[in-house]
Amino acid sequence: MDQQGRNMRHRLWAVAGGAAALALLTATGAHAEGEGDIRVTKTVVNKGGNVIVGTAQTVTFPIAVTIKDDSGAKKITHLSTFNKSNGYGFFSWNHDSSCVRKTSTTSVCTGTMTVDPAWIADSDDIDSNRVAGVWVVAATVNANDGDYWIYDDIAEYKVKRAAQLTTDASPEPVAKGAQLTVKGKLSRANWEDLKYHGYPGQTVRLQFRAAGAAHYGTVKTVKTDNLGRLSTKVTATAAGSWRWYFPGTTTTSLKVSAGDAVALR
């Protein structure tokens, strides 16, 4: 392991077949050390959004690091990211970055992180779902005059398990003033078996948009049962579309179901 790797307390977990490497860093307080006047002044992960990982689709996202030095920023020589509380991480950096010069002393250097969900279970020795939540970014940056700086916490963001949400309203059509039953199911990605499982005990909003209206409004809130299922009864007063809205949690993504249009008879 090179000196930068030792300073970052950086260990690599090999992925089956050697196709990529997954980083595990020990969770510690924020730390920085180096030489010269080079500094990171700003870091933006995924253009400011959460990173959502499901069960099948490869996920890539940028980390843009603003670097300042009196000789000009040169490049990122190390970039990694990991869960803030337990130190595990499963994103792979391709060891390359592109830098855009903004002034004579400042550049924005961007690296791309990638994960195939099939890698995740091999990246740790705990339940991989515990790695969802608040993550931090670590980096080593270099200047044209040889200055360098090592950081283990230059940004925080959230990595979340992808959610799925369905809606089914019946009967269709329904008589005006009659009871309408709206069902659904909230599930989320399990990174251990790469399947979606029901998400119990979550508060989900039932929303309605009258035919011709521009927006949905919340009618009531309902909690999912022990299998992630939703069911409630409402009085049908107008034709329109019903949907479920889940605002998300620290570990699970926001999700809005498709609307189910119900006509009156």
Side-chain angles (χ1 to χ4, degrees):
M1 184 178 292
D2 61 17
Q3 184 62 41
Q4 290 175 355
R6 286 192 292 271
N7 287 339
M8 300 297 293
R9 297 172 298 282
H10 184 208
R11 294 195 290 132
L12 295 177
W13 290 71
V15 177
L22 304 179
L24 168 65
L25 286 83
T26 303
T28 64
H31 174 77
E33 60 180 278
E35 182 177 292
D37 64 344
I38 185 172
R39 294 293 185 272
V40 169
T41 61
K42 183 179 180 181
T43 304
V44 179
V45 180
N46 197 31
K47 300 180 180 179
N50 297 321
V51 176
I52 311 301
V53 181
T55 62
Q57 185 175 355
T58 297
V59 174
T60 63
F61 64 94
I63 298 179
V65 182
T66 302
I67 306 167
K68 185 174 183 179
D69 183 86
D70 60 2
S71 70
K74 184 176 182 180
K75 62 180 178 178
I76 299 171
T77 54
H78 172 86
L79 187 64
S80 60
T81 182
F82 52 96
N83 181 284
K84 183 176 182 178
S85 62
N86 58 42
Y88 286 99
F90 46 65
F91 291 108
S92 174
W93 177 47
N94 64 4
H95 300 286
D96 195 11
S97 63
S98 60
C99 294
V100 177
R101 185 173 177 177
K102 298 298 183 179
T103 69
S104 61
T105 60
T106 303
S107 293
V108 177
C109 297
T110 302
T112 300
M113 310 302 290
T114 302
V115 70
D116 179 334
W119 302 347
I120 296 176
D122 292 325
S123 70
D124 57 60
D125 54 7
I126 61 173
D127 177 357
S128 296
N129 297 303
R130 289 173 53 193
V131 186
V134 178
W135 283 45
V136 296
V137 176
T140 302
V141 296
N142 290 71
N144 291 320
D145 60 3
D147 291 353
Y148 72 93
W149 210 257
I150 302 169
Y151 299 84
D152 67 11
D153 190 348
I154 53 173
E156 295 186 5
Y157 67 105
K158 293 184 178 69
V159 177
K160 298 189 177 187
R161 297 160 64 180
Q164 294 181 339
L165 187 56
T166 63
T167 299
D168 181 30
S170 63
E172 299 180 54
V174 64
K176 185 174 183 178
Q179 290 287 289
L180 183 71
T181 300
V182 186
K183 296 183 178 182
K185 184 174 182 179
L186 174 66
S187 55
R188 61 175 175 169
N190 184 306
W191 292 337
E192 286 286 313
D193 63 9
L194 301 182
K195 297 178 181 179
Y196 281 82
H197 297 270
Y199 194 7
Q202 301 304 304
T203 299
V204 184
R205 304 172 195 170
L206 177 65
Q207 298 185 328
F208 177 70
R209 184 183 66 191
H215 304 289
Y216 280 87
T218 297
V219 175
K220 62 167 66 175
T221 59
V222 179
K223 277 199 171 183
T224 56
D225 69 9
N226 62 346
L227 296 176
R229 297 173 301 194
L230 294 154
S231 183
T232 191
K233 293 185 181 294
V234 292
T235 300
T237 59
S241 295
W242 296 87
R243 74 178 188 187
W244 294 102
Y245 174 95
F246 174 59
T249 66
T250 298
T251 61
T252 305
S253 68
L254 177 154
K255 190 65 178 180
V256 182
S257 73
D260 188 4
V262 178
L264 296 183
R265 58 177 171 82

